[in-house]
Amino acid sequence: MTDLSSTAIDARLARMADDLQQHLAARNITDPALVGIHTGGVWVAEELHRRLAQTGPLGTLDISFYRDDFSRRGLHPSVRPSALPFEVENAHIVLVDDVLMSGRTIRAALNLLFDYGRPASITLAVLFDIGRREMPFAADVCGEHLALAPDQRVELRGPAPLEAEILTLKA
Amino acid sequence: MSQPSPDTLQLTGSGRLRNFLTIDALPRSILEEILDTAASFVDVGDRSIKKVPLLRGKTVINLFFEPSTRTRTTFELAAKRLSADVLNMDIARSSTSKGETLMDMLRNLEAMSADMFVVRHGDSGAVDYIARHATPEVAIINAGDGRHAHPTQAMLDMYTIRHYKGGFAGLKVAIVGDILHSRVARSEIHALNILGAEEVRVVAPRTLLPADIDSLGAKVFTRLEDGLRDADVVIALRLQKERMSAALLPSESEFFRLYGLTNERLAVAHPDAIVMHPGPINRGVEIASEVADGPRAVILHQVTFGIAVRMAVMSLCMSGRETEREAAHAAAR
């Protein structure tokens, strides 16, 4: 059974930080700008930011205004402002989320980022990838690939300690 | 035939905003949701691409039966920043003046697959009437009706107050000037009371106070200095000369002498008091230039916040509309 305790999450984050560092080094990226997607992605991005000893500011994105199911599901009840306290134009962005599932959140985040400017590159880092892709996106750095039943989801709880839980959706 | 209550006219069965017609029937949670959502829209105006795709493919029609370049422009900009298609209807020059009835015109506009009407009308209750008779497929937003309500102006003022004061608890807010003709004042009094301001004051000569002012929940002052004392927020209203059917004032200069906001008069307000005005300003009538252009004035910020607040109201009125429509159809079967 998958260990989703704070200790296990901590170990995954350490590995992610190493993998991300190698990934960026291989591409000669020395000044990445980390951007977390609300809410879980921001927690993971904060951890990676700390572990990579980044000195630049951390960006946050709320993709509520870019969702493709607005007319069906409506606005998220707690929309937060996005904050990108750096120039997006020509920046090397590391986009961070907690869970990669269908890829629709990543699509929305990319649309939002491009409304701020044209980045030089975007690297995607996620804590969990549970497959079920509906869009052609894959993570460059991933904490763990989880094989879940169709009615299951993984939810990250935080910000401190970071723990996760597998939830079974009601029929 | 029974009419829908204001609640069902404005809110869906699940408590979402359906139309935005007036503040007084709305719960505090909806007002706070508008303010919170607006906060996320403010930065859109600072970006290289000043748009979000929320209302992409939707059609918003500005139905202005009463001219107002300023309000119409901010609604138009708000809708465009939400990626909607916008049509501006100058009703004075449209076919209603050729004998077409209001209902005929509404049916025609609905047939053009409109998703939202933003309506301004010179008669109190006209927007409410349109909301009762329009198809439920279309969201209606009140952009000011007669002396009745101007809810988006009130909400942008609430946003401005919350931005500068952090909240409403403990605040003393003085609304100064032509209360009688002001739909803004009515909507503001309701909003401030719902959001929990400590004291809402109206300051005006008796001739510019409505008869039902006591029932609105505001404390009445007829001397400016008394009304301004310790106020945290001062809202100057425009003297609406075009709405005055009788001589309610001796003269504009007399009004300024007694009720005009000057730095000297504002000395009795709280040292950190902000000064607001819904615009357009009559300089030297309700407010002196030294105040309008001074450090306390937040008038131009009101305009900027106004676009974000109108984006929030439009978004919330369209939020989850397809699901609501399907539920309504299912219930009707």
Side-chain angles (χ1 to χ4, degrees):
Chain A
M1 183 157 168
T2 309
D3 185 357
L4 299 173
S5 66
S6 59
T7 312
I9 298 280
D10 197 63
R12 284 187 190 91
L13 286 166
R15 197 168 60 239
M16 276 180 80
D18 288 345
D19 290 351
L20 182 56
Q21 206 148 30
Q22 285 177 32
H23 178 89
L24 296 172
R27 282 157 184 76
N28 294 321
I29 297 170
T30 52
D31 53 347
L34 267 65
V35 178
I37 300 174
H38 276 300
T39 305
V42 173
W43 299 335
V44 177
E46 283 168 346
E47 283 294 323
L48 294 175
H49 192 264
R50 185 174 61 79
R51 288 165 197 260
L52 293 176
Q54 289 291 297
T55 50
L58 179 74
T60 60
L61 290 183
D62 189 313
I63 54 104
S64 298
F65 298 148
Y66 288 73
R67 293 186 65 98
D68 58 14
D69 56 358
F70 165 70
S71 62
R72 298 198 64 79
R73 290 179 53 181
L75 273 180
H76 192 280
S78 56
V79 184
R80 280 145 298 211
S82 295
L84 292 170
F86 42 75
E87 203 54 56
V88 169
E89 190 77 22
N90 293 323
H92 290 284
I93 304 278
V94 176
L95 185 62
V96 183
D97 206 358
D98 52 349
V99 181
L100 175 59
M101 190 170 77
S102 68
R104 288 176 189 272
T105 298
I106 303 305
R107 170 190 182 264
L110 294 181
N111 286 344
L112 173 50
L113 274 175
F114 273 81
D115 279 356
Y116 281 86
R118 183 175 179 275
S121 71
I122 298 178
T123 296
L124 179 61
V126 300
L127 181 57
F128 298 113
D129 183 344
I130 64 167
R132 302 183 198 163
R133 203 79 71 247
E134 294 167 9
M135 303 282 138
F137 295 111
D140 299 294
V141 172
C142 175
E144 185 168 349
H145 290 269
L146 289 181
L148 300 181
D151 61 345
Q152 287 184 321
R153 298 278 186 276
V154 61
E155 189 175 287
L156 188 66
R157 307 249 166 86
L162 279 181
E163 292 172 323
E165 188 182 356
I166 291 173
L167 304 173
T168 302
L169 302 180
K170 287 177 189 158
Chain B
M1 195 176 87
S2 67
Q3 294 284 348
S5 71
D7 283 352
T8 56
L9 201 56
Q10 293 209 103
L11 300 178
T12 65
S14 54
R16 281 177 163 161
L17 200 60
R18 176 204 300 269
N19 300 312
F20 193 50
L21 309 173
T22 180
I23 300 265
D24 50 330
L26 292 175
R28 181 172 179 158
S29 59
I30 291 279
L31 302 193
E32 286 175 342
E33 187 178 26
I34 292 170
L35 298 178
D36 292 343
T37 307
S40 295
F41 280 125
V42 168
D43 91 305
V44 173
D46 299 329
R47 296 175 358 188
S48 57
I49 295 178
K50 300 176 178 57
K51 268 183 187 292
V52 296
L54 270 187
L55 297 195
R56 190 164 161 261
K58 305 293 181 196
T59 303
V60 174
I61 301 186
N62 283 332
L63 278 172
F64 275 55
F65 295 85
E66 187 184 66
S68 168
T69 309
R70 181 182 300 236
T71 302
R72 203 209 67 203
T73 307
T74 55
F75 269 109
E76 184 176 348
L77 205 51
K80 285 181 171 171
R81 286 194 178 164
L82 291 168
S83 303
D85 296 315
V86 187
L87 198 65
N88 291 310
M89 297 287 294
D90 185 350
I91 309 298
R93 284 188 222 134
S94 80
S95 52
T96 47
S97 59
K98 297 175 192 160
E100 185 185 41
T101 69
L102 174 63
M103 293 316 298
D104 284 340
M105 189 186 66
L106 279 182
R107 296 289 168 254
N108 271 284
L109 294 173
E110 286 167 2
M112 293 176 201
S113 303
D115 296 286
M116 182 180 289
F117 292 154
V118 176
V119 188
R120 168 168 285 211
H121 203 289
D123 295 337
S124 303
V127 184
D128 205 68
Y129 176 86
I130 289 170
R132 285 175 198 282
H133 293 88
T135 168
E137 312 282 311
V138 179
I140 314 284
I141 295 179
N142 186 354
D145 64 327
R147 297 181 187 181
H148 171 233
H150 197 347
T152 59
Q153 176 69 44
M155 288 311 296
L156 77 88
D157 290 343
M158 296 309 111
Y159 187 92
T160 309
I161 292 171
R162 194 175 78 163
H163 177 83
Y164 284 99
K165 297 294 171 188
F168 297 89
L171 283 190
K172 296 185 178 74
V173 182
I175 306 172
V176 183
D178 186 358
I179 311 291
L180 177 65
H181 300 97
S182 178
R183 51 197 173 204
V184 177
R186 280 180 179 276
S187 293
E188 278 171 344
I189 293 167
H190 289 306
L192 287 163
N193 283 323
I194 292 168
L195 289 166
E198 183 181 308
E199 192 173 283
V200 185
R201 306 169 178 175
V202 290
V203 191
R206 293 232 173 261
T207 51
L208 291 181
L209 286 167
D212 64 344
I213 187 66
D214 293 333
S215 67
L216 290 179
K219 205 168 170 183
V220 177
F221 293 84
T222 52
R223 278 192 72 238
L224 182 59
E225 285 74 6
D226 296 340
L228 293 183
R229 197 167 308 283
D230 301 324
D232 301 286
V233 177
V234 180
I235 304 173
L237 298 174
R238 187 171 67 88
L239 201 59
Q240 304 207 27
K241 292 170 281 187
E242 71 279 11
R243 293 186 195 281
M244 292 185 188
S245 54
L248 298 172
L249 292 171
S251 68
E252 288 180 6
S253 57
E254 180 74 356
F255 181 82
F256 183 69
R257 195 175 67 77
L258 292 171
Y259 292 94
L261 287 183
T262 60
N263 280 337
E264 192 184 8
R265 292 235 172 80
L266 280 165
V268 298
H270 190 282
D272 295 329
I274 55 169
V275 174
M276 297 163 59
H277 191 298
I281 300 171
N282 292 314
R283 288 171 185 263
V285 179
E286 65 259 356
I287 190 165
S289 282
E290 64 183 17
V291 176
D293 303 327
R296 291 169 183 266
V298 295
I299 298 167
L300 291 178
H301 294 280
Q302 288 174 261
V303 178
T304 306
F305 295 147
I307 295 167
V309 168
R310 285 171 177 134
M311 288 170 78
V313 169
M314 288 174 157
S315 306
L316 291 169
C317 283
M318 297 303 292
S319 177
R321 214 164 173 85
E322 204 175 310
T323 307
E324 299 282 354
R325 194 178 297 150
E326 284 170 5
H329 286 165
R333 278 200 293 269

